[in-house]
Amino acid sequence: MINATPDIADQIESTPALHPGPAARRTPVAGLVLTDAELDHTLGIARLREADRIEVLATGPVRAALRDRAHLDDILTPYASLEWRGLGLVPVPLSHGSDIEISVIPVSAKRPRYAAPHASRPSGSGEGADCGERRDFGREADHGREADHGGQADHGGQADQDRQAEKPIGVEPWVVALRLHDRRTGGTALYAPALAAWPDAFQEALADADCVLLDGTFWDDDEPRRSGFSTRTATEMGHLPIDGPDGTAGRLAPLAARCLYTHLNNTNPLVDPAAPQHKQLADLGLAVAAEGMEIAL
């Protein structure tokens, strides 16, 4: 599964393919892949504490933040074995024996507040969170039954793979887009739920993607300020807007790939299925990912 939101248990319960079984104490959830270290993408890890082992794929900065600042290992070790694998520019198997390879494209050096140097609680900002409640549509899950085969992080043969996966990236990879490539079918998906910039490497990755799931947090750049929960624009909050002169819709429209928006904030008019903005997207060949959608590549 990609990212672990606080409602991860509800997601698993509402998705039959992720239900426990077939044997007792078995699960088809092979592990987690993290695109960043933000709390709304990582708090759900603790909900998986009843597993014997939790395998987590993350970049170096994300792993360090969760271990050293959030003390995730200290919290979960009494309950489950937490095993880390590295993510980087070099594709690695999603899990042991998997036909799916995963690699990252760094899109932002924005770190979560708790991991900032000299992190402290903001006073009088009116921004207890980066933005309001979000609806995370189109989450990806590994439905293969590979729960017993994840690589061992920080020890054994996995260490060499991790060092290879974490080659120097240039921009510190606090926030990344994921590239998932199925070697068996040749299909490629690009997943970027938090897109603060549009680097050249991301544009290049779009060229050979069959499906793109993209940050749809805000419809336009002024939405956070207009809604009254922030003094910053969407771009300043680390999310390129969908509409506008620098919006992502205009960049996605020429692509041959199927393009779907995800990670909608509750202030985004697209949360209303009857909103006219849906037609505006449809005219460009774009859409919003639907709850429970399955995409075959």
Side-chain angles (χ1 to χ4, degrees):
M1 299 184 68
I2 296 178
N3 292 329
T5 59
D7 64 343
I8 190 170
D10 296 329
Q11 297 171 29
I12 291 173
E13 289 176 3
S14 64
T15 307
L18 299 180
H19 288 180
R25 304 290 296 176
R26 293 294 299 274
T27 173
V29 179
L32 297 170
V33 181
L34 302 179
T35 60
D36 54 60
E38 295 289 349
L39 293 179
D40 60 351
H41 284 165
T42 58
L43 284 176
I45 298 175
R47 298 292 305 274
L48 303 178
R49 67 188 181 280
E50 294 182 4
D52 293 330
R53 178 178 61 84
I54 305 173
E55 181 176 304
V56 184
L57 283 73
T59 64
V62 169
R63 177 171 53 187
L66 291 171
R67 299 180 77 175
D68 301 337
R69 291 296 188 95
H71 301 286
L72 191 62
D73 283 29
D74 296 337
I75 294 172
L76 289 181
T77 296
Y79 302 93
S81 172
L82 195 60
E83 300 176 0
W84 297 89
R85 291 177 55 205
L87 278 179
L89 299 179
V90 178
V92 296
L94 183 60
S95 57
H96 179 77
S98 175
D99 289 321
I100 299 175
E101 294 181 332
I102 186 169
S103 57
V104 306
I105 302 104
V107 293
S108 174
K110 177 181 177 290
R111 62 179 70 194
R113 294 181 185 179
Y114 71 84
H118 311 295
S120 61
R121 181 183 178 88
S123 59
S125 67
E127 299 179 38
D130 276 350
C131 45
E133 177 187 352
R134 274 183 292 270
R135 298 174 64 193
D136 284 332
F137 297 112
R139 281 179 294 258
E140 295 294 305
D142 173 17
H143 297 307
R145 299 190 177 266
E146 302 168 323
D148 292 332
H149 303 293
Q152 304 295 310
D154 299 333
H155 53 79
Q158 184 62 44
D160 290 338
Q161 186 184 74
D162 284 358
R163 281 193 293 269
Q164 176 69 1
E166 294 179 356
K167 288 172 59 179
I169 286 179
V171 175
E172 199 171 18
W174 280 97
V175 183
V176 298
L178 302 177
R179 182 181 183 272
L180 296 153
H181 175 69
D182 191 327
R183 292 178 298 176
R184 182 175 54 85
T185 67
T188 299
L190 201 61
Y191 182 66
L195 194 62
W198 199 282
D200 291 342
F202 184 71
Q203 181 64 39
E204 293 169 4
L206 289 170
D208 67 347
D210 298 290
C211 182
V212 179
L213 291 159
L214 197 77
D215 183 354
T217 305
F218 298 116
W219 175 256
D220 61 73
D221 205 32
D222 196 51
E223 184 180 321
R225 296 190 299 197
R226 187 174 62 252
S227 300
F229 67 84
S230 178
T231 59
R232 296 178 291 169
T233 65
T235 304
E236 290 169 346
M237 294 182 71
H239 300 281
L240 293 179
I242 296 173
D243 195 32
D246 296 319
T248 58
R251 304 187 191 209
L252 293 177
L255 299 178
R258 182 183 185 186
C259 299
L260 301 166
Y261 282 105
T262 184
H263 203 261
L264 274 61
N265 195 59
N266 63 357
T267 58
N268 190 325
L270 290 173
V271 299
D272 179 2
Q277 286 84 355
H278 285 280
K279 184 179 185 307
Q280 188 173 334
L281 288 184
D283 290 342
L284 295 173
L286 311 174
V288 174
E291 189 77 29
M293 177 181 284
E294 295 186 11
I295 302 168
L297 297 175

